[in-house]
Amino acid sequence: MAENIPTESESMEIAQGMTYFQETMDKFIGTADVSTVYARPVKQGETIIIPTAEVICGLGFGFGMGHGMGPQQGEGDKGATSQTEDEMVSGSGVGGGGGGYTFSRPVALIVATQDEVRVMPVIDRTKILLAAFTTVGFMVATLMRFTRGSR
Amino acid sequence: MSTQLIQINTQAGKPVMAGNTKITPFSQSVRLMVPGKLIGLIYNRPVSLLATSPDGQEQVIAIPDVTRRIQFSLLGIAFAWMMLLIALKFILNRRD
């Protein structure tokens, strides 16, 4: 019986894939750097403005390989059982894939003048409104359930 | 590549000169990496600034995330409300 040992070309493909994954992973790890959170300073006369943001980044990779044996093409009628291992053809495949997600949200603006350094927070009203509606909805729903249950 | 599952780091960035004041930004990153697997999650946020004046005076300025604070406050209110109702229900059931 043939063993599931990858051929030379398969090993090359795996190595290439791994290198690619590693490079992408290194870039991903670079997200943890300070430069991703603080943008390049913008000069406006005497004032310097530095926008800041929070960054969330997720990444996942996976790959697999398979190896198998089967009847030769056009001889399927014979049935795999009637063929000896020498008559059968072997095949293999390597595949991989990955996915990622990056999210960034502005947090504050740093305004630096000659005299002072100020931090101006950026307030996301849409997010706050959504959270407020969800909270109120939850409170009303639980109150209704409570009053119904206590009757 | 590190094999630790969770890594929390605070890093200092490149200082920026604003007039005579030197501003050094700091960020905090949380890395979640599954050892032996090509899976990871990174959360990076600005934490504070260190403003150094020419006379050597240092001032740490925190960078508040107001949106996140409000969101967590609302979550806290919802949780407190739920606990209040549970407590009320418990008291009423005991009285009956």
Side-chain angles (χ1 to χ4, degrees):
Chain A
M1 186 79 188
E3 285 178 41
N4 286 351
I5 299 167
T7 61
E8 203 174 312
S9 65
E10 283 171 356
S11 300
M12 288 261 289
E13 279 178 40
I14 294 168
Q16 278 176 353
M18 283 302 286
T19 312
Y20 175 71
F21 289 152
Q22 195 59 54
E23 279 172 7
T24 314
M25 209 66 178
D26 289 342
K27 276 184 200 166
F28 164 71
I29 289 164
T31 314
D33 194 60
V34 187
S35 58
T36 54
V37 168
Y38 295 94
R40 207 173 282 172
V42 180
K43 263 197 170 179
Q44 189 76 46
E46 294 280 293
T47 311
I48 290 176
I49 300 163
I50 309 168
T52 66
E54 70 167 9
V55 180
I56 301 168
C57 186
L59 196 73
F61 281 121
F63 70 92
M65 53 173 284
H67 186 94
M69 292 182 85
Q72 282 189 36
Q73 207 171 15
E75 295 182 15
D77 304 339
K78 282 186 182 177
T81 48
S82 63
Q83 289 185 336
T84 62
E85 273 191 19
D86 292 335
E87 288 171 333
M88 289 166 96
V89 284
S90 66
S92 61
V94 182
Y101 173 76
T102 305
F103 168 80
S104 178
R105 184 176 62 83
V107 171
L109 289 175
I110 298 157
V111 182
T113 57
Q114 294 278 10
D115 310 318
E116 58 168 357
V117 181
R118 276 184 301 145
V119 174
M120 295 168 77
V122 175
I123 300 165
D124 193 338
R125 285 191 187 138
T126 313
K127 280 204 165 156
I128 292 167
L129 269 172
L130 276 172
F133 278 130
T134 311
T135 308
V136 171
F138 172 78
M139 286 166 86
V140 170
T142 46
L143 185 70
M144 277 169 73
R145 201 176 162 186
F146 173 75
T147 49
R148 222 180 281 161
S150 59
R151 264 183 220 159
Chain B
M1 200 161 74
S2 174
T3 51
Q4 266 184 307
L5 183 69
I6 297 173
Q7 263 188 298
I8 301 169
N9 291 322
T10 304
Q11 298 162 300
K14 237 189 210 173
V16 177
M17 290 304 290
N20 294 321
T21 312
K22 190 172 89 177
I23 304 165
T24 313
F26 287 89
S27 79
Q28 191 178 54
S29 67
V30 180
R31 273 191 221 178
L32 190 100
M33 306 289 273
V34 182
K37 303 250 186 225
L38 293 163
I39 300 167
L41 185 85
I42 292 174
Y43 173 61
N44 200 356
R45 70 181 181 98
V47 184
S48 61
L49 299 169
L50 178 70
T52 315
S53 56
D55 57 353
Q57 259 194 333
E58 289 182 337
Q59 189 191 1
V60 178
I61 305 160
I63 301 172
D65 190 346
V66 177
T67 307
R68 189 70 80 227
R69 275 188 195 173
I70 294 170
Q71 279 180 321
F72 277 114
S73 303
L74 288 166
L75 187 76
I77 290 167
F79 184 73
W81 175 258
M82 195 179 73
M83 294 311 285
L84 182 82
L85 288 183
I86 288 169
L88 213 64
K89 198 171 184 177
F90 182 73
I91 292 164
L92 287 174
N93 282 350
R94 275 188 78 181
R95 204 182 279 175
D96 295 338

